[in-house]
Amino acid sequence: VKRGILPLLKRATLVQTFGQRNHVCLNEGSITIPPYAPPEKMQSHLIPPDTPRSIFVYFRGLFYDVNNDPEGGYYARGARASIWENFKNNPLFDISTDHPTTYYEDMQRSVFCLCPLGWAPWSPRLVEAVIFGCIPVIIADDIVLPFADAIPWEQIGVFVAEKDVPYLDTVLTSIPVEVILRKQRLLANPSMKQAMLFPQPAQSGDAFHQILNGLARKLPHEGRIFLKPGEKILNWTAGPIGDLKPW
């Protein structure tokens, strides 16, 4: 694959959802964007914000991919299988392969939403968790998160190493209540949610706006704007703080 990439593309800034470290298609300086999730559909499933979050851990999706990985040794590097085998009977974990019509509502009733890798490190589940204020539990060792320079993932999410999946219950129950509440307050910020969505037409502060911000930081500007003497390329983190972190 590497030999077949055109020189032009090797110098290009790639804008893509495939956020995986050390992947040949993800060059340094690429812009990782969130996968698409339908804004109108999610909007239609909103429930009152004061609805109690009575589900501690929530997940709906595959644990095994029997069609593509019948022996179960490759899919999600075993992380999803480990979730099922360790927590299928744990009352704190509402996990299943079923995908109910109340899926979006259930996420809004949950404290933590598991976001494990599958065949790729990411899925729309990550966007859905942020939109519905469910703390994303990110289980993907080599993931590159979207707009990582702008969205404070460490502050809104929980990162669990793939090897530590058997201890998920201990990890999550040991998080202090005040930390959970702080993450929920950040997730409740409308600007945080807007940055993950691609509404049509585009709106200020949305994911398309974040892409433009990222591209702008890579282009030369007159010195009086952002560039320092001697610089020819913008620092990725340069520019008004309000552009990077509206929250």
Side-chain angles (χ1 to χ4, degrees), residues 10-192:
K10 291 180 181 179
R11 299 192 302 271
T13 295
L14 299 181
V15 178
Q16 56 183 338
T17 58
F18 198 91
Q20 181 173 339
R21 282 194 295 270
N22 302 318
H23 193 276
V24 66
C25 292
L26 189 68
N27 294 331
E28 183 179 355
S30 296
I31 298 176
T32 304
I33 65 175
Y36 179 78
E40 296 82 6
K41 182 179 179 181
M42 290 190 290
Q43 180 74 25
S44 68
H45 285 268
L46 289 176
I47 62 178
D50 57 351
T51 301
R53 292 188 178 269
S54 55
I55 302 170
F56 190 63
V57 180
Y58 187 75
F59 177 79
R60 290 295 184 272
L62 290 178
F63 298 99
Y64 298 92
D65 187 344
V66 294
N67 293 324
N68 298 302
D69 180 26
E71 296 182 2
Y74 294 98
Y75 181 59
R77 293 198 284 258
R80 292 196 183 202
S82 181
I83 292 171
W84 177 249
E85 297 302 333
N86 283 283
F87 304 110
K88 59 186 175 183
N89 296 318
N90 189 316
L92 294 177
F93 284 67
D94 187 344
I95 59 176
S96 172
T97 56
D98 296 334
H99 202 289
T101 56
T102 57
Y103 173 68
Y104 284 155
E105 288 82 357
D106 291 343
M107 293 187 84
Q108 295 170 79
R109 296 186 181 99
S110 303
V111 177
F112 295 104
C113 288
L114 301 184
C115 300
L117 74 161
W119 287 114
W122 51 267
S123 75
R125 192 177 288 106
L126 187 66
V127 176
E128 294 163 349
V130 172
I131 298 303
F132 293 130
C134 186
I135 298 171
V137 180
I138 299 164
I139 307 169
D141 291 350
D142 53 1
I143 193 171
V144 177
L145 290 161
F147 308 139
D149 62 326
I151 295 178
W153 290 106
E154 294 285 348
Q155 297 178 45
I156 65 174
V158 175
F159 291 80
V160 177
E162 294 167 26
K163 66 178 178 61
D164 292 333
V165 166
Y167 315 110
L168 257 178
D169 53 347
T170 302
V171 171
L172 297 180
T173 55
S174 65
I175 299 175
V177 173
E178 58 269 22
V179 173
I180 292 175
L181 292 175
R182 184 163 62 247
K183 291 179 184 295
Q184 290 175 334
R185 283 194 296 270
L186 279 170
L187 285 167
N189 191 312
S191 297
M192 191 82 67

Side-chain angles (χ1 to χ4, degrees), residues 209-230:
H209 181 89
Q210 298 297 328
I211 293 171
L212 294 181
N213 275 345
L215 291 172
R217 284 174 169 76
K218 293 177 174 293
L219 298 174
H221 289 70
E222 295 181 16
R224 69 174 186 274
I225 302 178
F226 297 139
L227 289 180
K228 296 179 180 179

Side-chain angles (χ1 to χ4, degrees), residues 197-212:
L197 294 175
F198 291 94
Q200 296 182 2
Q203 300 172 10
S204 177
D206 66 6
F208 182 65
H209 181 89
Q210 298 297 328
I211 293 171
L212 294 181

